Amino acid sequence: MRSTAVSALHEPPFATARHPGTDEVAAQSLHWAGRLELVDCGPRQRRLGRAAAAELAGRTCPAAPLDRLRLLTDLITWLFVMDDACDEDGLGAEAIRLAPTVAALLDVLDRLGAPHGQAPGDAGPLGLALADICRRVRDQHRPALLLRLISQLREYLLSLLWEAANRERRRVPGLAEYVQMRRHTGGARPSLTLTDLAYDGQPTARRRSAPEVLALDDLAADLVCWCNDLFSHHKERQAESDAQNLVTVIAAQAGLDADSAFRVAADRFNQGLARYLARDSVLAADPALASFLAARRAWIRATYDWSLRADRYA
């Protein structure tokens, strides 16, 4: 339950803020999802509305230009729809069932946001919406960022096949394997990239690829995904869901009951947050990293705050 997660987790000590255009963008993004038939007018639309993608986006970039906030919101909306299709609607129950959709979406990504004249592949509404996002990122004229986003979305899609294979075989991955793959299955990396688009003054490619910067980026993605796992574990446990959760993986590897494994997972988050704060304080001395660090602090804080309020894990 939320109260259990709140009592176990250390609150990220970063400032919290909310974009004034959040509610406007929420309505626009839900309309976009309906217009492209990502969801119908029934339970799936209500499920998407309860997920509050704009609320999460509005807390990660509270001062962004409205069009960039909308772009990030639409990406998160798309990720929520894709995750729900796999986790709750059966698309990801078997790798063989998911593979054609992944192949079609990879075809969309290979077009690098090509203009409207080219078909986006054969992935239906998911493909049309993904193509629309890629075109709009291409229109920002940030080719390096576009290529990074495309690469991260490819990794995300391929990681969904890994999840599907685990479900099919009822396989619980080892902890090290899970931590590595969770950075991809959670969609945190492409979301961080579009948040970077909303913050001016990003570091050069050379500085961005420095080992200490990459390590901090990995840890930020870990904290976002582990926070998701801790808040969602109760829902997944009640639904007898699959083993794609940090708590379940720890329970299986260490032979613990669910409550004990939850405490171990919460300790892992808290220790990771302490490491993050120490590394952040060192990198904060470099003014070239100010926007980069601000985006990651905002994501860690926003994930915690959004998890307290949204109904996605209720």
Side-chain angles (χ1 to χ4, degrees):
M1 293 183 291
R2 285 175 180 163
S3 59
T4 304
V6 171
S7 63
L9 299 183
H10 293 169
E11 182 177 340
F14 304 128
T16 181
R18 183 179 186 269
H19 198 291
T22 297
D23 294 336
E24 175 186 351
V25 167
Q28 292 173 349
S29 192
L30 286 174
H31 176 75
W32 172 82
R35 177 171 57 82
L36 294 179
E37 299 182 346
L38 275 177
V39 290
D40 54 25
C41 295
R44 292 178 182 175
Q45 184 185 53
R46 292 191 292 273
R47 179 176 66 188
L48 182 60
R50 291 194 303 270
E55 191 69 28
L56 180 56
R59 292 176 179 275
T60 63
C61 47
L66 206 61
D67 65 321
R68 298 182 194 179
L69 173 63
R70 169 69 192 282
L71 189 51
L72 175 61
T73 301
D74 287 351
L75 173 67
I76 296 172
T77 292
W78 185 88
L79 289 167
F80 283 170
V81 171
M82 187 71 195
D83 282 351
D84 287 344
C86 290
D87 297 347
E88 300 188 29
D89 299 338
L91 181 62
E94 299 173 314
I96 195 170
R97 187 184 307 177
L98 178 59
T101 297
V102 168
L105 292 172
L106 289 173
D107 180 39
V108 171
L109 294 177
D110 286 346
R111 299 169 189 269
L112 300 176
H116 288 272
Q118 298 187 26
D122 191 28
L126 284 166
L128 289 170
L130 184 60
D132 181 66
I133 291 169
C134 291
R135 279 194 297 268
R136 288 154 60 197
V137 175
R138 186 186 182 111
D139 288 345
Q140 297 290 325
H141 305 293
R142 298 276 296 277
L145 187 142
L146 172 64
L147 290 173
R148 180 166 21 119
L149 177 71
I150 296 296
S151 175
Q152 291 164 338
L153 285 169
R154 285 195 188 106
E155 292 165 354
Y156 165 74
L157 290 171
L158 293 173
S159 73
L160 296 183
L161 289 174
W162 171 82
E163 279 194 327
N166 287 339
R167 289 192 191 97
E168 187 176 359
R169 299 293 181 180
R170 303 184 67 84
R171 174 180 180 266
V172 181
L175 180 58
E177 177 187 342
Y178 179 79
V179 167
Q180 167 61 30
M181 294 302 292
R182 186 69 175 108
R183 294 171 186 162
H184 303 294
T185 62
R189 282 177 159 160
S191 299
L192 282 166
T193 292
L194 282 198
T195 308
D196 285 340
L197 181 63
Y199 283 75
D200 292 327
Q202 290 299 310
T204 63
R206 181 184 294 274
R207 188 70 180 109
R208 175 71 176 73
S209 61
E212 65 274 16
V213 177
L214 293 176
L216 185 93
D217 204 30
D218 283 347
L219 188 50
D222 287 342
L223 290 171
V224 167
C225 293
W226 298 347
C227 187
N228 287 160
D229 281 0
L230 285 157
F231 274 95
S232 67
H233 173 65
H234 179 75
K235 176 185 176 183
E236 294 173 0
R237 182 182 175 187
Q238 291 296 108
E240 298 183 356
S241 187
D242 57 64
Q244 314 303 315
N245 185 288
L246 179 64
V247 177
T248 308
V249 168
I250 289 173
Q253 180 159 310
L256 298 173
D257 61 69
D259 291 339
S260 299
F262 187 94
R263 289 192 292 271
V264 172
D267 286 344
R268 187 181 187 92
F269 174 89
N270 294 335
Q271 292 163 11
L273 180 59
R275 292 197 307 275
Y276 185 92
L277 294 173
R279 295 176 182 181
D280 179 279
S281 67
V282 173
L283 293 177
D286 182 355
L289 293 175
S291 293
F292 174 88
L293 295 175
R296 277 134 194 86
R297 292 170 193 153
W299 255 100
I300 295 167
R301 179 73 209 204
T303 300
Y304 180 88
D305 290 342
W306 169 82
S307 298
L308 292 176
R309 293 167 174 82
D311 291 334
R312 184 165 175 80
Y313 302 142

